[in-house]
């Protein structure tokens, strides 16, 4: 059963999960870009492990966020903002959020599949060994790798669009939309 948040601001747990995922996604993407170009070394191996740990954490946070969102629906956009938004912006708003949620799962799952197929197990934070997602198969790993990269770049593009739209609302429209996510007044 879901309950609608009647406050214009998101619930505190929703805000916390939003910002944890935001920082985790940006950090993991940055490390992924950086480590990709490093020569084989202990530093590269350490960064790959960190990247995998971050991916599993992002996957877990995404599942928690989705379950919480299904249980505690977000507040409706304030009427003043809805009235000012053209139809295409409303459609883009919903499409971006749905695509981001899908990619919150697709990116870490394709990374996990790639790691498993390449024969590199994931031991979360060096403590919890995770099962292989797919069998070891070098050809499969090479087939999966581009999908992980493609989904990661697609998610990065959507995140940039999301941030750009939020900044537009805050500084051009001046409609205090960021207040809903805990930044300033609503």
């Amino acid at each position: 059963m879901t309950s609608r948040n009647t406050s214009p601001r998101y619930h505190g747990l929703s805000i916390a999960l939003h910002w944890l995922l935001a920082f985790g996604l940006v950090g993991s993407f940055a490390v992924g870009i950086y480590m990709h170009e490093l020569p084989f070394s202990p530093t590269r191996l350490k960064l790959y492990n960190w990247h995998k740990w971050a991916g599993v954490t992002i996957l877990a946070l995404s599942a928690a966020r989705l379950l919480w969102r299904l249980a505690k629906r977000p507040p409706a956009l304030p009427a003043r903002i809805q009235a000012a938004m053209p139809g295409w912006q409303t459609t883009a708003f919903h499409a971006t959020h749905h695509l981001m949620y899908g990619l919150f799962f697709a990116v870490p799952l394709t990374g996990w599949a790639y790691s498993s197929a390449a024969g590199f197990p994931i031991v979360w934070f060096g403590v919890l060994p995770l099962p292989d997602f797919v069998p070891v198969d070098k050809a499969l790993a090479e087939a999966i790798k581009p999908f992980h990269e493609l989904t990661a770049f697609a998610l990065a593009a959507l995140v940039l669009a999301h941030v750009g739209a939020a900044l537009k609302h805050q500084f051009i429209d001046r409609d205090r939309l960021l207040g809903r996510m805990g930044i300033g007044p609503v």
Side-chain angles (χ1 to χ4, degrees):
M1 185 153 137
T2 63
S3 61
R4 171 63 77 174
N5 182 356
T6 56
S7 165
R9 188 179 296 259
Y10 279 81
H11 185 278
L13 182 57
S14 299
I15 293 170
L17 288 170
H18 174 272
W19 291 111
L20 282 170
L21 271 172
F23 291 120
L25 289 168
V26 170
S28 185
F29 184 78
V31 168
I33 294 294
Y34 176 72
M35 71 184 191
H36 185 265
E37 299 302 321
L38 289 177
F40 186 78
S41 67
T43 299
R44 183 176 181 181
L45 292 175
K46 186 186 303 184
L47 289 174
Y48 264 87
N49 280 324
W50 185 90
H51 184 74
K52 290 193 271 187
W53 299 342
V56 172
T57 303
I58 287 166
L59 184 61
L61 287 171
S62 297
R65 185 173 180 188
L66 180 61
L67 291 172
W68 178 251
R69 187 173 180 122
L70 293 172
K72 184 80 170 168
R73 294 186 58 204
L77 277 173
R80 63 182 160 68
I81 295 175
Q82 284 185 22
M85 284 176 58
W88 72 267
Q89 281 185 7
T90 303
T91 300
F93 164 76
H94 291 295
T96 299
H97 280 90
H98 286 98
L99 288 169
M100 282 196 306
Y101 267 93
L103 290 170
F104 289 162
F105 291 93
V107 175
L109 288 173
T110 57
W112 188 350
Y114 169 66
S115 190
S116 295
F120 299 113
I122 298 174
V123 182
W124 197 27
F125 293 109
V127 176
L128 180 64
L130 299 179
D132 284 337
F133 200 60
V134 298
V136 175
D137 181 335
K138 300 296 182 193
L140 179 60
E142 289 307 310
I144 293 171
K145 185 177 181 179
F147 288 105
H148 180 60
E149 293 171 356
L150 178 67
T151 56
F153 277 99
L155 181 55
L158 287 173
V159 166
L160 286 174
H162 177 71
V163 169
L167 293 174
K168 176 223 178 249
H169 277 279
Q170 188 69 16
F171 297 111
I172 295 173
D173 299 344
R174 297 186 180 275
D175 57 19
R176 301 184 309 274
L177 188 67
L178 286 180
R180 292 166 39 92
M181 201 44 77
I183 299 178
V186 182

